[in-house]
């Protein structure tokens, strides 16, 4: 079966073939570490996790780079508002980002470069663009001349002839209608306060777009296989990355561009600036299971907008429980009858359907539909006791294979223990502050998760209530 992706560059489905043997090199734009990620951001990160895991499932070796944007307009503004140094400010949110990844069972990428560790490389890159006459200096800043790069606009479908030339934009984010020469290097101004690097381009800091061009080529080479992010990055971020990189190397920058659609709230993109967002930690605090959130995020195809509602999250939680229940059932029972061909055929055809759906541009909802058909059939056969040990093991093996990508079915004892421990610590904190109402609320939450509290000489412990 052939794996196909919808390539934003060219806007069509294409068969995936890595540039080098069996090795996939991919760059995924990471978080701007200026706040806690919201679940819209996580929609994109979970999509990229599915992409990574499915490539591995198909037998490829994957090298993934995800950058951390730790200097840009937003991080500088945030650190100034909180009156703490930029590196301390971004360290706090980088830590929060990694905590979220773990809760959402997102596998670690091979590299997480920080932009501030690559300033020298950015300066070298920009100097070469000036030498090649793709970039010029104006009032101490360096701009990329978009009229010099003849393919400017090829990713986002922008028609360069229609643009006003000579205009310049210094901010990192702007609309397609405002496409202009963009900043590679920003001369220091008083608003940046103590954030600057003294380099042979002068005193200043890099623009956001150059950061990704430099970190990706440095770690993956001048041309690599996949570049991914949310659709909001198509313009200007990815368009500008192509211009910078291809102007410098004269080679194709990236073969496949994959973009995930937004998580929306009442028709609008979930975003910090609109204030219509939930962070993962807020939802966990409200008692929602992070795995149910992961499930919700993969229940729609990555190229379809997904509307976030609490009703939707409730339904996702119920569906997830059905999957987890059948997995647990298969783990805990024993087959007693003869081998059942019907069961075995259903098991193999489910894996086949799963792979067909995922091969077709990672169609997760179709893959989940096949899985739910199987859950219904498997439960029927298990109820009737018509299965052998071999049938059961095969079924479990197939579910594990599927879950090596979805990562939602297997309930990890360690994760539960950790969650309960965290809640107990929070309850102890509330008790120490004599906040009895909060302490009681947390006790109820622990109980709802199937645990009661016991006082032991070693402190309060959670004990599982037998069902
Ligand atoms: P940022 O931290 O703003 O740089 O964004 C990190 C990633 O989240 C980028 O790939 C964005 O495209 C993506 N993103 C931001 N908002 C949403 C949203 N509402 N739905 C899906 N992805 C998003
Ligand atoms: Zn980027």
């Amino acid at each position: 079966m052939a794996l196909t992706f919808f390539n934003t560059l060219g806007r069509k489905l294409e068969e995936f073939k890595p540039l080098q043997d069996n090795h996939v090199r991919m760059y995924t734009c990471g978080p701007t570490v200026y706040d806690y990620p919201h679940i819209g951001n996580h929609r994109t990160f979970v999509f990229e996790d599915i992409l990574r895991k499915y490539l591995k499932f198909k037998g490829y070796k994957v090298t993934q780079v995800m950058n951390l944007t730790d200097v840009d307009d937003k991080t500088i503004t945030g650190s100034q508002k909180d009156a703490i140094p930029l590196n301390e400010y971004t360290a706090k949110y980088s830590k929060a980002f990694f905590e979220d990844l773990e809760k959402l069972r997102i596998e670690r990428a091979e590299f997480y470069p920080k932009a501030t560790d690559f300033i020298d490389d950015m300066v070298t890159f920009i100097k070469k663009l000036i030498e090649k006459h793709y970039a010029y200096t104006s009032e101490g800043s360096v701009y990329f001349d978009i009229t010099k790069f003849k393919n400017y606009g090829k990713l986002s479908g922008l028609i360069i002839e229609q643009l006003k030339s000579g205009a310049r934009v210094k901010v990192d984010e702007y609309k397609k209608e405002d496409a202009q020469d963009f900043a590679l290097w920003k001369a220091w101004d008083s608003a940046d306060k103590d954030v600057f690097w003294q380099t042979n381009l002068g005193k200043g800091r890099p623009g956001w777009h150059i950061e990704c061009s430099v970190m990706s080529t440095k770690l993956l080479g001048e041309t690599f296989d996949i570049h991914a992010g949310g659709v909001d990055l198509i313009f200007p971020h990815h368009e500008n990355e192509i211009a910078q990189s291809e102007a410098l190397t004269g080679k194709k920058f990236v073969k496949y561009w994959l973009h995930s659609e937004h998580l929306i709230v009442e028709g609008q993109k979930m975003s910090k600036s609109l204030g219509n967002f939930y962070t993962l930690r807020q939802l966990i605090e409200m008692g929602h299971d992070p795995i149910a959130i992961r499930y919700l995020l993969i229940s729609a195809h990555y190229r379809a907008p997904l509307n976030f509602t609490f009703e939707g999250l409730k339904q996702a939680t119920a569906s997830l429980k059905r999957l987890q229940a059948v997995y647990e059932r298969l783990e805990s029972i024993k087959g007693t009858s003869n081998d059942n061909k019907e069961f075995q055929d259903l098991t193999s055809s489910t894996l086949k359907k799963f792979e067909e759906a995922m091969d077709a541009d990672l169609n997760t909802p179709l893959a989940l539909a096949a899985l739910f058909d199987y859950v219904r059939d498997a439960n029927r056969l298990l109820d009737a006791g018509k299965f052998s040990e071999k049938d059961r093991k095969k079924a479990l093996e197939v579910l594990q294979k599927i879950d090596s990508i979805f990562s939602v079915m297997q309930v990890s004892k360690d994760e539960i223990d950790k969650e309960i421990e965290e809640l107990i610590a929070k309850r102890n904190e509330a008790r120490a502050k004599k906040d009895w109402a909060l302490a009681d609320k947390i006790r109820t939450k622990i109980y709802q998760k199937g645990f009661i509290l016991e006082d032991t000489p070693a402190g309060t412990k959670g004990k599982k209530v037998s069902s």
Side-chain angles (χ1 to χ4, degrees), residues 29 212 237 241:
C29 286
C212 283
H237 190 52
E241 276 190 50

Side-chain angles (χ1 to χ4, degrees), residues 30-32 38 40-41 44-45 229-230 232-233 261-263 269-270:
T32 308
H38 57 67
N41 300 130
T44 294
F45 301 139
D232 54 315
L233 298 190
E261 257 298 342
H262 286 145
L263 184 68
K269 174 190 171 194
M270 179 177 282

